[in-house]
Amino acid sequence: MPPVDADRLRAMLHEQLPAMRERGLLAAYVIEDTATRAILGGANLSRFDPLRDSVELGYWLFRESRGRGVATRVVRALADHAFANGILRVEAVVRVGNAPSERVLERAGFEREGVKRKLLRHEGERVDATLFALVAG
């Protein structure tokens, strides 16, 4: 996700999300502090594969929201939501070397499955990503 502030994120959600959701491309969520109403980050479910009953999960937090277990709770809640709606497998990919994000997935119960070469763009280059998955049941 490109670097955006909370105001731009809100605008994107109102301007772009409805069409993407309608086409089944992306179900995006705002991560919000329920006490202060501050936006902490975002998450999404995408790449739904009805033949495999799988979906990909993504998440990010603003820097000031990190280190409090927020991402782990969000990841687990989205996976549980997917399972409750008939999904068998939830996947996530993390840039190789992004240890904090790997820990989020591991704490949420995801298992490391392998490496997808040159899958992601990072700082102008194509980089490898570790595939994590959580399977229902």
Side-chain angles (χ1 to χ4, degrees), residues 55-119:
V55 68
E56 185 175 313
L57 180 148
Y59 54 93
W60 60 272
L61 293 175
F62 291 121
R63 288 194 196 284
E64 60 273 11
S65 302
R66 297 176 186 166
R68 298 185 284 164
V70 172
T72 301
R73 290 191 302 274
V74 167
V75 164
R76 190 61 216 204
L78 281 177
D80 289 345
H81 173 68
F83 296 148
N85 286 281
I87 297 297
L88 175 66
R89 178 182 172 84
V90 178
E91 297 181 345
V93 293
V94 176
R95 178 180 47 83
V96 169
N98 185 347
S101 195
E102 291 178 346
R103 285 192 300 272
V104 164
L105 292 167
E106 290 167 344
R107 283 192 303 264
F110 282 66
E111 293 185 33
R112 185 181 310 255
E113 292 192 338
V115 174
K116 292 184 155 197
R117 296 178 299 138
K118 307 286 186 205
L119 181 70

Side-chain angles (χ1 to χ4, degrees), residues 3 12 18 21 26 32 34 46 51-52 54 56-57 74 78 83 88 95 110 113 119 121 135:
M12 289 169 60
R21 189 173 205 124
L26 177 74
E32 182 180 66
T34 56
S46 63
L51 295 175
R52 295 186 174 101
S54 68
E56 185 175 313
L57 180 148
V74 167
L78 281 177
F83 296 148
L88 175 66
R95 178 180 47 83
F110 282 66
E113 292 192 338
L119 181 70
R121 288 187 180 92
V135 178

